[in-house]
Amino acid sequence: MAKNKNNQPIWGTRIKKSSSNIFKKVGSSLEVDKRLFNEDIVASTAHVEMLFKQKIINFKIKNKIIWGLNRIKNEIIKKKFPYDRNLEDIHMNIEKRLTDLIGEDAGFIHTARSRNDQVITDFKIWLKKSTNDTIKNLNNLINTILKVADKNIKTVMPGFTHLKNAQAVSFAHYLMAYVEMFNRDKKRFKNNLESLNENPLGVAALTGTTFNIDRNYTTKKLKFVRPTNNSIDTVSDRDFVIDFLYACSTCSIHISRIAEEFIIWNSDGYQLINLNDKIVTGSSIMPQKKNPDPLEYLRGKTGSSFGNLFSMLTILKGLPLSYFKDLQDDKELVFKSYDQLKISLNLLNDILKNFTVNKKNMLELAKTGFITATDLADYMVRELNYPFRKSYLQTAKIINLAEKNNKSLDQLTLDEIKTIEPKLTNDVLKIFDLNFSVNSKSSFGGTSFGNIKKMIRSYKKSNEK
Ligand code: ARG
């Protein structure tokens, strides 16, 4: 058996010179994959239990290895583990320490496996947990949005297209649009669990193994759902990494979009919301300033999330099968995206708990820009039986008149309106009421108060689960 001599890599007998100093430094993934120590120990334990069950190793050796692994786990938790920077990664570090603790029998641990399957197994176990954590953070955020929405069902504001006033909406409806987005994010993360639930352990370097292993056993032990089908694909596949990074990126887009909306609404030009002092920063020269830095931070961080996804896509493009060192970067990219997303979700949650809505300003803004124009056109279709195109035209003329007279639609008298459309009666005036406008959009998914109430209630229920 190859000896794992001190300060010498496992391949020291074959490769007689030690790596160039610069490569020793940059080629190591230890600082990054240290984070997988627990997953590595859990997976190794399942592996040796399987080897024992299959009579590939004996009872004594199995117990010795498991004893050693437990001890190593404690050493790492208590920060007493002697990391050896000359060994490439956490996996080699643990194996080397196991050899120091129990001697040559430690070498049985690597029977019927390679670091290639070992690394992905650890990584998938970590990703499953982190996916579930992310979903929890998304749930917290959604709950906060639901609470704010619940308080603002009757808060009327203009909905925009092209950032121009378009039609009246409830602020709650606006916020509920983000609940949809974050719910889709949850789904995206959940969908990836299907791939994450395939167990790579046992495909070894790339072809499988000559030993009579039981991959279903480790699948069960490690709470995967099924073993992967093709050994070559298994060690080369990082689709589950791309899917995770993509889910992080899409979620970052949503965070960035709401951040941007809030920045605009908080601006002096809009003044639709007020950020309280907990979530603004000052200026070093302009004493009056209260700047929305946390929101800008969120918008800015989207860039690094895209960057990580693009790095992974680029690494995989044109990479022949199967394992290559290029793949080592996958963990750093995922850890960075995951950590950032966690911070961003929690920060956004905090921001949403620390702002106030300027209901009056929202309403005032909604009174500008003739935002009940579509309602008027719809009204003429309904009441005068006009084709929509005809009532659109009549409405445009009424708006021109209002604009010429420097009035909003609700300030026009019936007589003025009748100069354009004589068939209209007093009844039409209700159309210009903003609450009436919002509430009349009662088609499924529309902004009527009743619709929103129902949606909030149903999301509150489903999010409790
Ligand atoms: N440190 C490597 C990584 O994290 C371990 C994979 C080793 N496999 C190999 N064939 N060199 O990807």
Side-chain angles (χ1 to χ4, degrees):
M1 165 170 297
K3 263 206 175 157
N4 191 352
K5 291 181 207 146
N6 274 344
N7 290 326
Q8 217 185 336
I10 212 97
W11 44 75
T13 312
R14 178 85 183 121
I15 302 176
K16 303 219 168 52
K17 291 193 175 149
S18 75
S19 277
S20 84
N21 280 339
I22 180 156
F23 188 68
K24 234 189 245 167
K25 228 173 163 181
V26 298
S28 161
S29 57
L30 180 62
E31 281 316 309
V32 172
D33 57 35
K34 259 178 176 180
R35 196 166 168 169
L36 294 175
F37 82 90
N38 196 37
E39 289 75 10
D40 197 62
I41 286 169
V42 167
S44 289
T45 305
H47 182 65
V48 294
E49 276 168 351
M50 182 277 293
L51 293 177
F52 165 67
K53 184 188 84 76
Q54 295 301 96
K55 302 194 170 59
I56 298 167
I57 61 170
N58 69 35
F59 184 68
K60 212 173 122 207
I61 290 175
K62 178 204 78 163
N63 283 350
K64 247 170 124 178
I65 293 178
I66 291 177
W67 174 86
L69 289 173
N70 280 332
R71 181 158 164 169
I72 289 170
K73 185 176 162 183
N74 283 330
E75 286 178 351
I76 297 179
I77 291 170
K78 291 191 179 130
K79 299 198 182 346
K80 285 188 177 142
F81 183 81
Y83 287 106
D84 184 345
R85 321 255 149 223
N86 289 315
L87 301 173
E88 184 183 300
D89 50 34
I90 186 68
H91 320 288
M92 301 300 256
N93 264 271
I94 289 177
E95 189 179 324
K96 158 78 166 48
R97 180 69 187 143
L98 192 65
T99 311
D100 290 348
L101 288 171
I102 68 169
E104 200 179 48
D105 283 345
F108 281 105
I109 197 175
H110 218 54
T111 315
R113 82 167 185 197
S114 148
R115 263 186 313 157
N116 292 355
D117 58 340
Q118 184 183 359
V119 168
I120 323 164
T121 306
D122 297 357
F123 197 23
K124 278 191 165 181
I125 297 173
W126 184 91
L127 268 166
K128 280 209 290 177
K129 183 180 167 293
S130 303
T131 293
N132 288 324
D133 281 353
T134 305
I135 291 171
K136 264 188 215 144
N137 286 326
L138 276 161
N139 276 339
N140 289 341
L141 177 63
I142 290 170
N143 278 337
T144 304
I145 302 178
L146 289 172
K147 274 186 201 147
V148 184
D150 214 2
K151 286 191 193 130
N152 284 285
I153 295 174
K154 296 245 162 107
T155 306
V156 172
M157 68 179 288
F160 310 96
T161 61
H162 312 269
L163 214 52
K164 297 281 285 177
N165 291 10
Q167 295 181 8
V169 292
S170 150
F171 179 50
H173 195 55
Y174 217 110
L175 290 171
M176 291 301 285
Y178 283 95
V179 168
E180 294 295 328
M181 293 177 232
F182 291 123
N183 257 311
R184 285 198 296 274
D185 290 331
K186 267 168 61 180
K187 259 190 234 157
R188 222 167 272 114
F189 280 106
K190 271 187 198 158
N191 288 344
N192 193 28
L193 285 172
E194 172 131 15
S195 310
L196 290 174
N197 270 325
E198 292 189 347
N199 177 18
L201 193 58
V203 302
L206 77 160
T207 58
T209 174
T210 54
F211 292 96
N212 175 31
I213 59 172
D214 182 349
R215 294 189 62 206
N216 288 318
Y217 179 85
T218 53
T219 295
K220 246 198 181 156
K221 275 255 151 179
L222 296 173
K223 300 195 176 73
F224 287 105
V225 173
R226 66 190 77 80
T228 54
N229 286 332
N230 180 296
S231 57
I232 303 181
D233 172 57
T234 303
V235 294
S236 330
D237 168 38
R238 293 298 184 277
D239 292 2
F240 63 91
V241 175
I242 292 178
D243 288 348
F244 183 83
L245 292 173
Y246 172 64
C248 290
S249 292
T250 311
C251 186
S252 305
I253 292 177
H254 299 147
I255 293 172
S256 186
R257 290 182 82 170
I258 196 168
E260 171 68 6
E261 308 246 41
F262 272 44
I263 290 166
I264 294 173
W265 296 348
N266 180 63
S267 69
D268 295 322
Y270 275 78
Q271 295 184 40
L272 299 186
I273 57 170
N274 267 331
L275 303 178
N276 69 33
D277 284 1
K278 238 179 145 171
I279 48 166
V280 294
T281 54
S283 152
S284 63
I285 179 171
M286 298 170 281
Q288 84 283 13
K289 290 301 282 301
K290 289 189 177 186
N291 294 326
D293 282 39
L295 288 163
E296 293 161 15
Y297 166 93
L298 290 177
R299 192 177 52 186
K301 286 299 177 192
T302 311
S304 51
S305 189
F306 293 1
N308 296 335
L309 171 63
F310 266 76
S311 299
M312 196 65 227
L313 290 168
T314 312
I315 286 168
L316 288 171
K317 177 195 167 294
L319 200 69
L321 307 182
S322 59
Y323 181 85
F324 288 89
K325 185 76 170 175
D326 313 41
L327 294 172
Q328 180 171 279
D329 272 355
D330 58 358
K331 288 167 288 296
E332 187 171 2
L333 299 171
V334 162
F335 292 160
K336 282 199 289 195
S337 277
Y338 168 78
D339 289 343
Q340 184 56 54
L341 186 62
K342 186 173 178 174
I343 292 170
S344 293
L345 287 170
N346 289 330
L347 177 59
L348 179 58
N349 199 351
D350 232 26
I351 292 171
L352 290 170
K353 288 177 179 167
N354 285 288
F355 81 102
T356 50
V357 186
N358 295 336
K359 298 187 181 185
K360 219 179 109 233
N361 289 358
M362 283 189 174
L363 192 62
E364 284 311 308
L365 187 61
K367 285 180 184 163
T368 67
F370 310 109
I371 71 174
T372 50
T374 319
D375 304 71
L376 176 58
D378 286 355
Y379 179 84
M380 283 190 261
V381 170
R382 247 186 342 262
E383 301 299 323
L384 309 182
N385 210 13
Y386 284 175
F388 183 76
R389 278 292 158 247
K390 182 173 175 181
S391 57
Y392 175 99
L393 206 79
Q394 294 301 77
T395 305
K397 286 180 188 163
I398 294 172
I399 293 166
N400 284 344
L401 176 73
E403 196 174 52
K404 204 175 98 209
N405 295 351
N406 225 349
K407 286 182 169 182
S408 59
L409 287 176
D410 66 322
Q411 288 166 341
L412 288 175
T413 63
L414 183 61
D415 287 343
E416 283 173 310
I417 293 171
K418 278 182 141 180
T419 61
I420 310 278
E421 181 45 72
K423 287 188 195 150
L424 286 170
T425 66
N426 211 33
D427 185 60
V428 72
L429 299 177
K430 69 175 185 217
I431 285 297
F432 306 124
D433 178 79
L434 292 170
N435 279 309
F436 182 85
S437 167
V438 172
N439 211 21
S440 59
K441 306 288 167 31
S442 55
S443 54
F444 186 81
T447 187
S448 76
F449 302 133
N451 273 357
I452 302 169
K453 240 184 233 164
K454 259 192 230 155
M455 279 294 167
I456 294 177
R457 209 178 306 137
S458 112
Y459 274 116
K460 272 189 172 169
K461 247 192 204 157
S462 65
N463 216 40
E464 277 163 14
K465 285 173 202 157

